[in-house]
Amino acid sequence: MSDLLKLLQAASFAAKKHIAQKRKGNDAAPYINHPLEVVNLLANVGKVKDYNVLIAAVLHDTIEDTETTKEEITELFGSDICEYVLEVTDDKSLPKAERKQKQIEHAPHLSQGAKLIKLSDKISNIRDVMENPPDGWSDERRLEYINWGEKVVAGLRGANKNLENHFDELISKKLFGK
Ligand code: NDP
Ligand code: ZN
């Protein structure tokens, strides 16, 4: 199967896995919009051409947020892609504060491919927090999230200048128009 067909197969697989989920923003967008935005950022902003990274990006939240197993991903898409997905999957058995701290600590030690996926994931989520935040989040909580995202991204720098510039431009926009 060609790389492009495999990417489309992965997008379709992820859409089915995330079918019952919505994003937390008040537009309640279908969850699949987010992995599709992440892969689009990688390809069109980051100019990333490695299909294993692009395919892993579209699958990046399946293990963390749906009942998908690593065996399923390995069988359908291979172990290299599964490894990338696992690298960006939080251990949900840990308390949230610990998970967030681990993301900061692990960022510099991720593989190059996983760093690219993480960078695009942070761009997508921070854009959502700025433009379409989860219901009920105070300004303080939004700022805390953005500050945390910057700390994770600090450990990813050097991976892709285009994505880093895009991130820097995004966070230079004032959150509250002041
Ligand atoms: P959550 O982990 O609860 O939510 C953010 C995650 O939800 C994202 O990383 C993203 O993950 C997913 N998501 C889905 N839809 C959206 C959307 N529209 N916008 C953004 N993210 C979306 O956030 P935190 O618990 O980390 O809260 C952020 C900060 O606020 C933390 O620093 C925390 O300490 C603090 N906090 C403050 C509270 C307060 O009342 N002041 C209360 C609790 C926490 P994915 O890529 O996997 O989809
Ligand atoms: Zn994500």
Side-chain angles (χ1 to χ4, degrees):
M1 193 189 294
S2 75
D3 286 337
L4 178 59
L5 293 186
K6 201 167 161 189
L7 175 60
L8 292 171
Q9 188 194 20
S12 175
F13 175 87
K16 285 183 193 132
K17 290 295 187 176
H18 291 297
I19 193 165
Q21 291 175 294
K22 302 263 186 233
R23 295 289 285 169
K24 294 175 187 167
N26 47 25
D27 67 350
Y31 194 89
I32 191 64
N33 284 28
H34 163 67
L36 289 176
E37 184 184 30
V38 171
V39 71
N40 186 45
L41 285 164
L42 281 169
N44 289 310
V45 177
K47 309 294 177 198
V48 172
K49 308 222 176 326
D50 181 339
Y51 268 91
N52 280 354
V53 174
L54 299 174
I55 292 165
V58 92
L59 298 169
H60 82 273
D61 277 329
T62 54
I63 294 179
E64 187 173 301
D65 292 338
T66 78
E67 87 301 351
T68 307
T69 63
K70 59 179 195 283
E71 288 76 19
E72 242 179 312
I73 303 272
T74 304
E75 193 185 332
L76 287 168
F77 303 104
S79 54
D80 290 350
I81 287 171
C82 187
E83 266 312 309
Y84 285 140
V85 176
L86 290 174
E87 276 191 87
V88 299
T89 296
D90 276 2
D91 179 352
K92 280 202 160 167
S93 68
L94 297 174
K96 196 178 246 183
E98 205 173 312
R99 272 167 27 211
K100 296 186 83 80
Q101 184 55 32
K102 277 200 185 313
Q103 282 203 35
I104 297 171
E105 287 165 10
H106 288 165
H109 308 292
L110 294 174
S111 66
Q112 167 71 7
K115 281 184 180 171
L116 297 172
I117 298 168
K118 248 303 165 238
L119 254 173
S120 299
D121 190 34
K122 287 291 168 276
I123 291 170
S124 173
N125 283 333
I126 287 180
R127 182 182 293 145
D128 274 349
V129 164
M130 292 175 88
E131 295 173 2
N132 194 17
D135 271 345
W137 278 32
S138 63
D139 292 353
E140 184 197 9
R141 185 164 181 181
R142 291 165 72 197
L143 281 169
E144 273 180 48
Y145 187 91
I146 294 166
N147 289 339
W148 166 75
E150 281 193 80
K151 287 186 197 154
V152 178
V153 167
L156 303 169
R157 288 193 186 269
N160 183 296
K161 209 62 205 146
N162 292 338
L163 289 170
E164 289 159 48
N165 289 345
H166 197 78
F167 177 85
D168 291 339
E169 203 177 309
L170 176 68
I171 60 163
S172 73
K173 291 182 189 147
K174 296 276 182 285
L175 180 52
F176 306 113
K178 284 176 202 154

